[in-house]
């Protein structure tokens, strides 16, 4: 009985430059044994795709001549070695596995056929995304094309912005009229000690630009209000709500339902956070969940009560996760679900939230807002003060 060590000796392994010479000379059948999304991202010219899972069924169609010189490659040389073993067992007489795979091939500066739409730097930067079948090159291009607005560059917006920037969200709008304060640095990790006193939008832009030059940051050094909200949110695909006050949350909800913009909303206090995703008319809105704001004594602020920085970061990253799923159109967004996180017990609890048919904003009998009234909103300060 052949041991694996003995089998191994029988498989010919060749270096990329040797493979390149043979390929140039012609008369070589070149097999790429990876998954389709990897092949799509980049492959060696002339390579025929035969994924490992279907090799037994498809190899004969790709390489009909069992006596022909055949070179197999994959990403790093492991799958192609196994494929070469399988092919030998199927009767292929002259098969070699290219050691180091297409990674080694590219490291040696040998040419590949790469997907259009991404530069070589982007292919490298986002390779851990594009390797995921759920993302792939197509998904990464969607992220690069996406426009995401962060309301607030604070406890939630700061961590969300960092990861959204790293993920390659092409346009990040940031609304904040505050300056960096030393007391922010315990959780607002996009800022730093040297930036105390700097406008938060500028500090965030500098960090994002240093992290990822693909991201275009649009600064709005202002507070969202009835006079500017439609103009600001109009151009964005998804909104991240990290507002620190109820009037802004209600205003944002009403405006986003009018313009049909999805909002990923989270809030934090002490050791507890909550998050939900509001997709207008597909699920409930913020007003369905909270018809009226809580009385002031039940809605303390982080500045009065404190907040665990790590918990704020956790919630901000959950928001970034929701945004990425919405942009890619994969997974299950938190639509109609309210997720609660208790940092002290490390517990997540999920509550179902239904659309309220009586909701004054998104309910069946909600008044149609005529075009001329689109930019007019009730007084939310007053609404929240009641
Ligand atoms: Zn509603």
């Amino acid at each position: 009985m052949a041991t694996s060590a003995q089998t191994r000796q029988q498989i010919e392994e060749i270096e990329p430059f040797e493979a390149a010479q043979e390929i140039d000379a012609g008369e070589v059948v070149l097999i790429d044994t990876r998954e389709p999304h990897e092949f799509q991202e980049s492959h060696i010219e002339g390579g025929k795709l035969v994924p490992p899972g279907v090799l037994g069924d498809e190899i004969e169609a790709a390489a009909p001549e069992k006596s022909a010189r055949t070179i197999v490659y994959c990403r790093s040389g492991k799958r192609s070695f196994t494929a070469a073993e399988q092919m030998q067992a199927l009767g292929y007489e002259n098969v070699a596995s290219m050691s180091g795979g297409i990674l080694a091939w590219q490291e040696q500066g040998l040419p590949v056929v790469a997907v259009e739409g991404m530069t070589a730097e982007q292919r490298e930067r986002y390779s851990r995304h594009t390797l995921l079948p759920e993302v792939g090159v197509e998904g990464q291009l969607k992220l690069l094309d996406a426009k995401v607005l962060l309301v607030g560059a604070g406890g939630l917006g700061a961590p969300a912005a960092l990861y959204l920037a790293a993920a390659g969200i092409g346009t990040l709008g940031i609304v904040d009229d505050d300056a960096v304060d030393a007391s922010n640095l315990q959780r607002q990790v996009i800022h730093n000690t040297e930036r105390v006193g700097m406008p938060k939008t500028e500090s965030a832009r500098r960090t994002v630009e240093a992290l990822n030059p693909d991201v275009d940051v649009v600064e709005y050094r202002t507070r969202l209000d009835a006079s500017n909200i439609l103009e600001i949110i109009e151009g964005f695909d998804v909104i991240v709500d990290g507002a620190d006050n109820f009037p802004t949350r209600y205003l944002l909800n009403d405006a986003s339902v009018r313009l049909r913009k999805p909002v990923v909303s989270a809030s934090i206090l002490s050791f507890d956070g909550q998050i939900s995703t509001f997709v207008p008319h597909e699920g409930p809105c913020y007003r369905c969940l909270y018809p009226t704001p809580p009385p002031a004594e039940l809605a303390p602020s982080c500045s009065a009560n404190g907040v665990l920085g790590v918990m704020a970061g956790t919630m901000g990253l959950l928001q970034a996760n929701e945004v990425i799923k919405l942009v890619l159109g994969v997974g299950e967004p938190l639509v109609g679900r309210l997720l609660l996180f208790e940092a002290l017990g490390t517990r997540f609890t999920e509550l179902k939230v239904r659309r309220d048919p009586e909701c004054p904003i998104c309910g069946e009998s909600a008044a149609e807002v005529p075009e001329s009234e689109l930019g007019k909103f009730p007084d939310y300060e007053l609404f929240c003060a009641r």
Side-chain angles (χ1 to χ4, degrees):
M1 203 173 75
T3 66
S4 60
Q6 281 169 326
T7 316
R8 192 143 299 181
Q9 285 166 3
Q10 293 164 9
I11 301 296
E12 183 193 352
E13 284 191 282
I14 58 171
E15 293 297 320
F17 76 90
E18 296 174 292
Q21 282 173 347
E22 286 197 44
I23 293 165
D24 277 349
E27 316 260 309
V28 171
V29 179
L30 185 62
I31 301 294
D32 182 321
T33 186
R34 296 179 299 160
E35 299 303 327
H37 64 275
E38 298 177 273
F39 181 84
Q40 185 202 7
E41 194 189 333
S42 69
H43 57 267
I44 299 172
E45 190 171 7
K48 294 180 187 171
L49 176 67
V50 182
V54 296
L55 189 120
D57 294 330
E58 294 186 5
I59 192 63
E60 284 183 27
E65 208 59 62
K66 290 194 174 174
S67 58
R69 175 60 167 168
T70 308
I71 297 175
V72 197
Y73 76 93
C74 62
R75 182 174 150 82
S76 66
K78 290 198 187 80
R79 283 174 284 179
S80 60
F81 189 92
T82 309
E85 285 180 325
Q86 265 181 281
M87 288 172 67
Q88 220 170 48
L90 288 168
Y92 285 86
E93 295 159 14
N94 190 6
V95 54
S97 165
M98 187 175 88
S99 60
I102 195 169
L103 287 181
W105 173 279
Q106 280 179 290
E107 263 166 34
Q108 293 177 17
L110 293 163
V112 293
V113 180
V115 72
E116 285 180 29
M118 282 213 274
T119 63
E121 290 77 26
Q122 288 174 328
R123 285 199 298 277
E124 177 75 22
R125 177 182 287 267
Y126 305 116
S127 61
R128 297 306 184 275
H129 265 171
T130 53
L131 280 170
L132 296 167
E134 292 80 358
V135 183
V137 170
E138 208 180 308
Q140 188 60 49
L141 290 171
K142 284 185 193 170
L143 294 173
L144 286 165
D145 207 32
K147 298 181 176 68
V148 176
L149 180 70
L150 296 146
V151 177
L156 294 163
L162 269 183
Y163 271 82
L164 291 173
I169 294 289
T171 306
L172 274 184
I174 306 176
V175 192
D176 205 305
D177 67 345
D178 241 350
V180 179
D181 185 84
S183 69
N184 300 148
L185 300 177
Q186 158 260 22
R187 63 198 179 285
Q188 301 179 16
V189 292
I190 205 165
H191 312 303
N192 65 44
T193 310
E194 281 175 12
R195 310 243 181 96
V196 169
M198 184 184 284
K200 283 188 179 179
T201 55
E202 183 183 347
S203 167
R205 178 176 53 76
R206 290 192 188 191
T207 303
V208 166
E209 284 173 355
L211 173 62
N212 188 349
D214 288 342
V215 184
D216 186 17
V217 176
V218 186
E219 292 181 58
Y220 299 96
R221 281 185 208 172
T222 181
R223 213 162 230 282
L224 273 190
D225 63 32
S227 73
N228 62 22
I229 189 163
L230 290 187
E231 202 184 322
I232 291 177
I233 71 173
E234 200 172 39
F236 290 91
D237 307 316
V238 185
I239 300 161
V240 176
D241 178 8
D244 59 359
N245 65 87
F246 286 102
T248 303
R249 286 184 185 266
Y250 282 98
L251 171 68
L252 176 60
N253 180 65
D254 297 4
S256 62
V257 172
R258 285 182 195 180
L259 297 188
R260 298 192 174 231
K261 302 282 180 187
V263 176
V264 179
S265 183
S267 61
I268 49 175
L269 189 71
S270 306
F271 296 97
D272 297 322
Q274 50 175 270
I275 173 172
S276 192
T277 295
F278 303 112
V279 179
H281 303 290
E282 275 182 36
C285 76
Y286 187 75
R287 203 70 95 95
C288 297
L289 179 60
Y290 298 113
T292 54
E297 64 271 22
L298 291 180
S301 69
C302 290
S303 56
N305 267 49
V307 61
L308 186 71
V310 168
M311 192 276 298
T314 306
M315 300 312 293
L317 294 199
L318 286 173
Q319 285 183 294
N321 183 50
E322 288 298 296
V323 168
I324 285 170
K325 289 188 301 176
L326 288 173
V327 171
L328 295 176
V330 301
E332 293 169 62
L334 281 167
V335 175
R337 298 188 285 152
L338 178 68
L339 185 70
L340 311 176
F341 174 54
E342 299 167 70
L344 280 183
T346 311
R347 269 184 204 98
F348 286 95
T349 312
E350 189 180 305
L351 305 174
K352 270 210 156 52
V353 186
R354 293 203 166 77
R355 266 184 89 179
D356 176 5
E358 303 295 309
C359 174
I361 303 305
C362 77
E364 286 150 18
S365 50
E368 240 350 91
V369 182
E371 191 78 27
S372 60
E373 301 283 301
L374 217 53
K376 292 183 186 161
F377 294 95
D379 187 332
Y380 297 94
E381 301 283 350
L382 197 71
F383 171 69
C384 292
R386 271 200 305 237

